[in-house]
Coordinates of all heavy atoms in Angstrom, one line a residue:
D12 N -50.4 -46.4 33.9 CA -49.9 -45.8 32.7 C -50.9 -45.9 31.6 O -51.0 -45.0 30.8 CB -48.6 -46.5 32.3 CG -48.7 -48.0 32.1 OD1 -49.5 -48.6 32.9 OD2 -48.0 -48.6 31.3
D16 N -52.4 -42.7 29.6 CA -52.4 -42.6 28.2 C -53.8 -42.2 27.7 O -53.9 -41.4 26.8 CB -52.2 -44.0 27.6 CG -50.7 -44.3 27.4 OD1 -49.9 -43.5 27.9 OD2 -50.4 -45.4 26.8
R20 N -54.7 -38.9 25.5 CA -55.4 -39.0 24.2 C -56.7 -38.1 24.3 O -57.0 -37.4 23.3 CB -55.7 -40.4 23.9 CG -56.4 -40.6 22.6 CD -56.6 -42.0 22.2 NE -55.4 -42.8 22.2 CZ -55.3 -44.0 22.7 NH1 -56.4 -44.6 23.2 NH2 -54.1 -44.6 22.8
G28 N -60.3 -31.0 18.4 CA -61.7 -30.7 18.0 C -62.1 -29.2 18.2 O -62.7 -28.6 17.4
A47 N -73.1 -42.5 30.9 CA -73.6 -43.9 30.7 C -75.0 -44.0 31.4 O -75.9 -44.5 30.9 CB -72.7 -44.9 31.2
L61 N -85.6 -45.9 19.7 CA -84.5 -46.9 19.2 C -84.4 -48.1 20.0 O -84.5 -49.2 19.5 CB -83.2 -46.2 19.0 CG -83.0 -45.1 17.9 CD1 -83.6 -43.8 18.4 CD2 -81.6 -45.0 17.5
Q71 N -88.2 -61.0 19.4 CA -88.9 -61.8 18.4 C -88.0 -62.7 17.6 O -88.5 -63.8 17.2 CB -89.7 -60.9 17.5 CG -91.0 -61.6 17.0 CD -91.9 -60.7 16.2 OE1 -91.7 -59.4 16.3 NE2 -92.8 -61.2 15.5
I87 N -68.2 -61.5 19.7 CA -67.5 -60.2 20.1 C -68.5 -59.1 20.0 O -69.3 -59.0 19.1 CB -66.4 -59.9 19.0 CG1 -65.4 -61.1 18.9 CG2 -65.6 -58.6 19.3 CD1 -64.6 -61.2 17.6
G92 N -72.5 -51.6 26.0 CA -73.1 -50.8 27.0 C -74.0 -51.6 27.9 O -73.6 -52.0 29.0
D114 N -65.5 -52.3 25.3 CA -66.1 -51.1 25.6 C -65.1 -50.1 26.2 O -64.1 -50.5 26.8 CB -67.2 -51.3 26.7 CG -68.3 -50.2 26.7 OD1 -68.0 -49.1 27.2 OD2 -69.4 -50.4 26.2
L120 N -68.0 -52.5 31.7 CA -67.5 -53.9 31.3 C -67.6 -54.8 32.6 O -67.9 -56.0 32.5 CB -66.0 -53.8 30.9 CG -65.8 -53.5 29.4 CD1 -64.4 -53.3 29.1 CD2 -66.4 -54.6 28.5
R153 N -60.4 -70.4 25.6 CA -60.0 -71.8 26.0 C -60.5 -72.8 25.0 O -59.9 -73.7 24.6 CB -60.3 -72.1 27.4 CG -59.3 -71.6 28.4 CD -59.9 -71.9 29.8 NE -61.2 -71.4 29.9 CZ -62.0 -71.3 31.0 NH1 -61.5 -71.8 32.1 NH2 -63.2 -70.8 31.0
V161 N -69.3 -60.7 15.2 CA -69.3 -59.4 15.9 C -70.7 -59.0 16.0 O -71.5 -58.9 15.0 CB -68.5 -58.3 15.1 CG1 -68.7 -56.9 15.7 CG2 -67.0 -58.6 15.2
Y162 N -71.1 -58.7 17.2 CA -72.5 -58.1 17.5 C -72.3 -56.6 17.7 O -71.5 -56.2 18.6 CB -73.1 -58.8 18.7 CG -74.5 -58.4 19.0 CD1 -75.4 -58.1 18.0 CD2 -74.9 -58.2 20.4 CE1 -76.7 -57.7 18.3 CE2 -76.2 -57.8 20.7 CZ -77.1 -57.6 19.7 OH -78.4 -57.2 20.0
L180 N -66.2 -51.1 9.0 CA -66.7 -52.4 8.5 C -65.6 -53.2 7.9 O -65.5 -54.5 8.0 CB -67.8 -52.2 7.5 CG -69.1 -51.6 8.0 CD1 -70.2 -51.5 6.9 CD2 -69.7 -52.5 9.2
I206 N -87.8 -38.5 14.3 CA -86.4 -38.6 14.6 C -86.0 -37.4 15.5 O -85.3 -37.6 16.6 CB -85.5 -38.6 13.4 CG1 -85.9 -39.8 12.5 CG2 -84.0 -38.6 13.7 CD1 -85.2 -39.8 11.1
D212 N -86.0 -34.6 23.8 CA -87.1 -35.1 24.7 C -87.6 -34.0 25.6 O -86.8 -33.0 25.9 CB -86.5 -36.3 25.5 CG -85.4 -35.8 26.5 OD1 -84.3 -35.7 26.0 OD2 -85.7 -35.6 27.6
R230 N -63.8 -31.9 34.7 CA -63.2 -32.7 35.8 C -61.9 -33.4 35.4 O -61.0 -33.4 36.2 CB -64.3 -33.8 36.2 CG -64.1 -34.5 37.5 CD -65.2 -35.5 37.8 NE -65.3 -36.5 36.7 CZ -66.3 -36.6 35.9 NH1 -67.3 -35.8 35.9 NH2 -66.3 -37.5 34.9
E239 N -73.9 -23.5 32.1 CA -75.1 -22.7 31.9 C -75.0 -21.9 30.6 O -75.9 -21.5 30.0 CB -75.2 -21.6 33.0 CG -75.0 -22.1 34.4 CD -76.2 -22.5 35.2 OE1 -76.7 -23.6 35.0 OE2 -76.6 -21.6 35.9
R253 N -78.9 -37.3 8.7 CA -78.3 -37.5 10.0 C -78.9 -36.5 11.0 O -79.2 -35.4 10.7 CB -76.8 -37.4 10.0 CG -76.3 -36.0 9.7 CD -74.8 -36.0 9.6 NE -74.4 -34.6 9.3 CZ -73.3 -34.3 8.6 NH1 -72.6 -35.2 8.0 NH2 -73.0 -33.0 8.4
S260 N -72.8 -22.0 22.2 CA -72.3 -21.0 23.1 C -73.3 -19.8 23.2 O -73.6 -19.2 22.2 CB -70.9 -20.4 22.7 OG -70.5 -19.4 23.6
Q264 N -67.2 -16.0 24.9 CA -66.6 -16.4 26.1 C -65.3 -17.1 25.8 O -65.0 -17.5 24.7 CB -67.5 -17.3 26.9 CG -68.0 -18.5 26.1 CD -69.0 -19.4 26.9 OE1 -68.8 -19.6 28.1 NE2 -70.1 -19.8 26.3
I268 N -58.7 -24.8 29.3 CA -58.6 -26.3 29.4 C -57.2 -26.6 29.7 O -56.3 -26.5 28.9 CB -59.0 -27.0 28.1 CG1 -60.4 -26.6 27.7 CG2 -58.9 -28.5 28.2 CD1 -60.9 -27.1 26.4
I281 N -70.4 -26.2 19.1 CA -69.5 -27.4 19.1 C -70.4 -28.6 18.7 O -71.4 -28.9 19.3 CB -69.1 -27.7 20.6 CG1 -68.5 -26.5 21.3 CG2 -68.1 -28.9 20.6 CD1 -68.2 -26.7 22.8
D311 N -89.0 -54.1 12.6 CA -90.3 -54.0 13.4 C -91.4 -53.7 12.4 O -91.1 -53.3 11.2 CB -90.2 -52.9 14.4 CG -89.7 -51.6 13.8 OD1 -88.6 -51.5 13.3 OD2 -90.5 -50.7 13.8
V318 N -82.2 -55.0 12.3 CA -81.1 -55.8 12.7 C -80.7 -56.6 11.5 O -81.6 -57.2 10.9 CB -81.4 -56.7 14.0 CG1 -80.2 -57.5 14.3 CG2 -81.8 -55.8 15.2

Side-chain angles (χ1 to χ4, degrees):
D12 55 329
D16 274 7
R20 183 174 307 136
L61 289 82
Q71 209 174 346
I87 303 157
D114 202 287
L120 275 173
R153 275 172 310 185
V161 169
Y162 183 41
L180 291 180
I206 301 176
D212 66 277
R230 194 179 58 248
E239 320 261 85
R253 68 188 180 212
S260 176
Q264 56 184 318
I268 302 172
I281 308 171
D311 54 295
V318 179

